[in-house]
């Protein structure tokens, strides 16, 4: 497909990235993104918060700050009490308030299935846009949130997840990537994305393919939510996780000693996942120390290498 | 003599839960699990192995799979 473009378009549809970026002036670019989905937790207020945090995350991943948002609502008005919708929207609004984002409008349609999300607009300096490209050999990779939300949500559906982990995963998904993004702005960060539906390895594959560089990951350094490996071992894996593996495993070299459950977690689709930051190797320890103050699970998980080109290598 | 778990038409985690229930019930022997998606095939395989059962055979059957698991 051929998309219209113009000279001020900084990031468009010609490559897979988190959001579109358009230069308004030499000092200002606008970032636009949209995301909405069906409920992933039972509590409507928390669902609203998670959907809003997830939608705004793309702006942070591009190095920007979200400023305005519009609600997107699909609601089965004949089958469901309108108070449910009110709680969802309140959750979203509270998350926007926390992020200093102004709700400026929205649109709702009647639908058999409930869906909620946001269209978000943010700003960034045109020279400070972060994309999935631009990482360099010697860069270190930092992940700011633990993995496993897809597997835990499947365990919740199965009625097998503990109360504690249900609460933990809900809070993790509702946490804004704002603070981590603010911290990384002070460091020599070369590339960034957020981890969502394609899972850690899927999003990493988007970065590494055609980059001319390689990524090496140490599996045991990847932060993983409690109980996740247990549920993965039991086969509580969402369809998206298997699809992610099928789609991208040809780009990944797994050392055979890495357990299947760990591999499954690395492909697990995330809702409102953390930022994956590529930072200059010499600054990585300092950035991690600062990140730990706002994202306690943040960890250095790997590095950018010269070889093997366009591939991800996973060691234990 | 094997028992049959028919999880066709169901989406995960249902086939996993049905397999785990049956494993609990029979304790050992052979179980035949019928599923109709790749996701269910992968997940049922993991569920069985997590309980110390072996996947003896996976047959593609029409639109789905017939998974034979056993434990002596």
């Amino acid at each position: 497909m051929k998309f219209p473009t113009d000279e001020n378009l900084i990031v468009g549809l010609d490559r897979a990235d988190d959001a579109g970026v358009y230069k308004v002036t030499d000092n200002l670019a606008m970032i636009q993104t949209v995301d909405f989905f069906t409920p992933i937790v039972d509590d409507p207020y928390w669902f609203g918060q998670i959907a809003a945090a997830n939608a705004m995350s793309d702006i942070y991943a591009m190095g920007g700050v979200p400023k305005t948002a519009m609600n997107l609502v699909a609601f089965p008005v004949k089958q469901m009490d309108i108070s449910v919708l009110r709680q969802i929207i309140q959750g979203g609004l509270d998350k926007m308030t926390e992020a200093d984002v102004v709700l400026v409008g929205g649109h709702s349609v009647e639908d058999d299935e409930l869906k909620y999300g946001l269209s978000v607009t943010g700003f960034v300096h045109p020279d400070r846009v972060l994309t999935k490209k631009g990482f360099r050999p010697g860069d270190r990779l930092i992940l700011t949130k633990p993995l496993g939300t897809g597997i835990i949500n499947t365990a919740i559906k199965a009625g097998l997840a503990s109360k504690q982990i249900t609460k933990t995963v809900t809070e993790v998904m509702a946490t804004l990537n704002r603070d981590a993004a603010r911290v990384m702005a002070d460091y020599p960060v070369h590339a960034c994305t957020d981890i969502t539906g394609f899972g850690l390895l899927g999003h990493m594959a988007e970065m590494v393919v055609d980059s001319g560089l390689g990524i090496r990951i140490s599996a045991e350094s990847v932060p993983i939510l409690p109980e996740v490996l247990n549920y993965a071992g039991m086969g509580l894996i969402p369809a998206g996780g298997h699809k992610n593996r099928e789609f991208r495993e040809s780009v990944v070299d797994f050392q055979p000693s890495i357990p299947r459950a760990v591999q499954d977690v690395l492909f697990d689709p995330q809702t409102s996942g953390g930022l994956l930051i590529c930072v200059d190797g010499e600054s990585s320890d300092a950035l991690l120390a600062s990140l730990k103050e706002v994202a306690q699970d943040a960890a250095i998980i790997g590095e950018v290498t010269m070889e093997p080109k366009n591939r991800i290598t996973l060691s234990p | 003599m094997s028992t049959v778990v028919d999880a066709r038409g169901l989406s995960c985690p249902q086939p996993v839960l049905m397999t785990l229930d049956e494993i609990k019930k029979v304790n050992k022997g052979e179980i035949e699990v019928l599923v109709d998606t790749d996701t269910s095939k992968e997940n049922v395989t993991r569920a069985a192995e997590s309980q110390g059962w072996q996947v003896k055979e996976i047959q593609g059957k029409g639109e789905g799979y017939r998974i034979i698991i056993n434990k002596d």
Side-chain angles (χ1 to χ4, degrees):
Chain A
M1 227 176 272
K2 192 158 168 46
F3 301 104
T5 185
D6 81 39
E7 58 187 13
N8 292 317
L9 186 65
I10 299 175
V11 179
L13 276 170
D14 54 328
R15 61 182 202 218
D17 223 302
D18 298 311
V21 185
Y22 190 89
K23 188 165 90 172
V24 182
T25 68
D26 286 342
N27 300 315
L28 182 72
M30 179 175 71
I31 314 175
Q32 287 178 288
T33 184
V34 58
D35 207 341
F36 65 118
F37 45 60
T38 55
I40 24 105
V41 291
D42 288 336
D43 184 306
Y45 178 72
W46 276 100
F47 169 54
Q49 289 194 60
I50 292 166
N54 181 72
M56 291 187 279
S57 176
D58 286 327
I59 308 275
Y60 296 122
M62 303 295 294
V65 178
K67 279 293 164 201
T68 63
M70 293 200 267
N71 280 336
L72 297 167
V73 177
F75 194 76
V77 72
K78 292 192 187 79
Q79 293 99 295
M80 210 175 268
D81 194 290
I82 198 76
S83 69
V84 173
L85 181 57
R86 209 168 288 132
Q87 290 176 66
I88 292 171
I89 288 175
Q90 187 64 55
L93 194 55
D94 286 355
K95 202 39 79 172
M96 287 179 245
T97 305
E98 185 188 333
D100 294 320
V101 165
V102 190
L103 181 66
V104 294
H107 187 68
S108 54
V109 292
E110 193 182 336
D111 195 349
D112 292 340
E113 198 174 36
L114 169 63
K115 299 173 194 83
Y116 173 67
L118 301 177
S119 156
V120 190
T121 301
F123 298 118
V124 64
H125 191 287
D127 299 335
R128 305 215 56 182
V129 177
L130 292 172
T131 68
K132 294 180 181 178
K133 302 292 174 198
F135 50 89
R136 304 168 195 175
D139 280 1
R140 290 230 166 120
L141 279 76
I142 298 179
L143 179 64
T144 65
K145 282 190 192 181
L147 299 180
T149 68
I151 289 165
I152 290 177
N153 287 326
T154 308
I156 292 171
K157 268 191 217 155
L160 296 174
S162 70
K163 256 196 187 137
Q164 182 54 45
I165 193 63
T166 304
K167 182 170 177 281
T168 302
V169 75
T170 304
E171 288 168 359
V172 166
M173 291 188 292
T175 300
L176 289 170
N177 281 327
R178 174 196 55 187
D179 294 347
R182 258 187 208 157
V183 168
M184 78 170 170
D186 294 331
Y187 291 85
V189 171
H190 299 143
C192 183
T193 188
D194 60 342
I195 306 303
T196 52
F198 293 135
L200 177 69
L201 290 177
H203 289 284
M204 215 174 255
E206 285 183 333
M207 300 175 88
V208 85
V209 167
D210 296 331
S211 69
L213 296 169
I215 291 178
R216 185 180 303 139
I217 299 299
S218 153
E220 68 179 14
S221 64
V222 177
I224 297 174
L225 284 161
E227 301 180 28
V228 171
L229 288 169
N230 185 26
Y231 298 138
M234 289 169 67
L236 296 170
I237 296 162
H242 295 296
K243 283 187 188 128
N244 289 341
R245 178 196 279 267
E246 214 171 286
F247 182 42
R248 289 300 194 181
E249 68 182 345
S250 61
V251 182
V252 185
D253 297 313
F254 285 102
Q255 287 191 8
S257 61
I258 297 174
R260 185 171 56 182
V262 172
Q263 299 181 25
D264 287 335
V265 175
L266 300 179
F267 279 114
D268 185 43
Q270 303 299 287
T271 300
S272 190
L275 298 177
L276 178 64
I277 303 168
C278 300
V279 62
D280 191 281
E282 291 192 356
S283 300
S284 60
D285 289 338
L287 172 54
L288 181 67
S290 305
L291 277 172
K292 285 273 192 191
E293 288 170 25
V294 296
Q296 56 175 15
D297 294 300
I300 295 174
I301 62 167
E303 59 184 343
V304 178
T305 56
M306 298 289 286
E307 299 286 345
K309 289 186 182 15
N310 309 321
R311 299 191 63 76
I312 301 165
T313 309
L314 262 150
S315 57
Chain B
M1 188 62 200
S2 64
T3 54
V4 179
V5 173
D6 188 352
R8 287 173 296 181
L10 299 171
S11 60
C12 271
Q14 232 46 50
V16 164
L17 293 176
M18 290 166 71
T19 304
L20 291 174
D21 279 350
E22 192 64 23
I23 283 175
K24 220 181 207 171
K25 213 164 81 189
V26 303
N27 198 29
K28 60 180 185 178
E30 193 168 286
I31 304 173
E32 181 180 332
V33 188
L34 306 176
V35 298
D36 52 10
T37 66
D38 289 341
T39 294
S40 297
K41 179 192 68 166
E42 292 292 326
N43 286 349
V44 165
T45 301
R46 285 163 175 73
E49 288 172 355
S50 74
Q51 304 304 307
W53 284 57
Q54 285 183 334
V55 178
K56 207 169 130 191
E57 203 182 338
I58 299 175
Q59 302 169 354
K61 191 184 173 189
E63 302 264 293
Y65 301 96
R66 184 167 163 255
I67 307 165
I68 317 273
I69 59 173
N70 76 326
K71 188 183 179 186
D72 295 329

